[in-house]
Amino acid sequence: MRQRSSKADQGSAIPRRPQASALDSGLRLLGRRAHSRVELQRKLGRRGYTEEEIDSALVRLDELGYLNDLTFAEGLVRIRSASRGPRALSAELAQRGVGRAQADRALASYNDALQMASAMRIIERTYGKRDITEYREMLDRVGNKLLRLGFSTTIVRGACRAVISGTPRADED
């Protein structure tokens, strides 16, 4: 008769090897969404692949054109710029393992006019229905939120002034 193994026995067992290759797992992960090189390396490591398997899979994915930190960073900036400022985006890119040079290149397209339009949309979406007529009141209510979202003080002040004065956004011209 076969004995059942206890949980204590399972904890000391050798970790099971993944069924699929690191390259297959990497392709599957990239099929769901884009990843940075460091993100993919971390995920494959958590799945039990050795450093050699991970390195060879990352090299092959790079050769195939599926793994590009600059393209990943540009996509993330394009998607998240509607709700975050450049400081928050830069921090998120760093957290995801994108190098400083690639992050700076991706953020270069997020100029002051786009930042101003994003900040104004956030103000209008968040406080559009409230009757705020004073600049200081607008700054007090909205300013800290925009700063937390990664916008600079210059953009925050400009967006508050523009919303109070009723200036059309740059994308409405």
Side-chain angles (χ1 to χ4, degrees):
M1 182 172 234
R2 207 171 92 178
Q3 287 184 330
R4 291 184 179 171
S5 61
S6 68
K7 288 188 179 188
D9 292 338
Q10 290 175 356
S12 63
I14 298 171
R16 287 187 11 201
R17 301 263 315 131
Q19 295 286 329
S21 71
L23 179 62
D24 290 339
S25 292
L27 283 169
R28 212 171 9 266
L29 287 167
L30 288 169
R32 291 186 193 119
R33 72 165 180 87
H35 288 74
S36 71
R37 182 178 197 82
V38 172
E39 270 186 319
L40 202 54
Q41 185 176 19
R42 288 176 190 155
K43 285 187 176 185
L44 292 174
R46 282 193 301 254
R47 288 195 161 104
Y49 295 105
T50 65
E51 285 295 320
E52 297 81 29
E53 292 171 323
I54 294 170
D55 290 340
S56 68
L58 293 176
V59 167
R60 184 67 180 137
L61 289 169
D62 197 20
E63 289 170 354
L64 293 170
Y66 294 132
L67 192 59
N68 184 330
D69 279 354
L70 179 60
T71 304
F72 168 75
E74 288 170 343
L76 189 120
V77 167
R78 189 173 41 257
I79 291 167
R80 306 252 182 175
S81 64
S83 62
R84 292 197 177 96
R87 292 177 182 160
L89 291 170
S90 180
E92 185 173 355
L93 289 169
Q95 180 185 13
R96 291 176 179 250
V98 175
R100 188 82 207 147
Q102 283 110 348
D104 288 343
R105 284 182 59 195
L107 287 167
S109 64
Y110 193 34
N111 60 30
D112 287 351
L114 293 174
Q115 292 175 46
M116 184 69 75
S118 293
M120 289 173 66
R121 271 194 304 275
I122 291 168
I123 292 171
E124 290 166 352
R125 186 176 59 233
T126 308
Y127 295 98
K129 294 179 179 116
R130 296 189 185 153
D131 193 26
I132 302 174
T133 57
E134 298 286 325
Y135 168 72
R136 293 301 295 165
E137 183 183 1
M138 172 73 73
L139 198 56
D140 289 342
R141 288 188 177 218
V142 182
N144 285 333
K145 177 178 179 136
L146 291 175
L147 289 171
R148 281 192 311 273
L149 289 173
F151 292 97
S152 69
T153 56
T154 305
I155 296 295
V156 170
R157 289 179 181 148
C160 287
R161 278 192 190 100
V163 169
I164 286 292
S165 69
T167 305
R169 293 192 314 244
D171 60 353
E172 289 178 353
D173 291 340

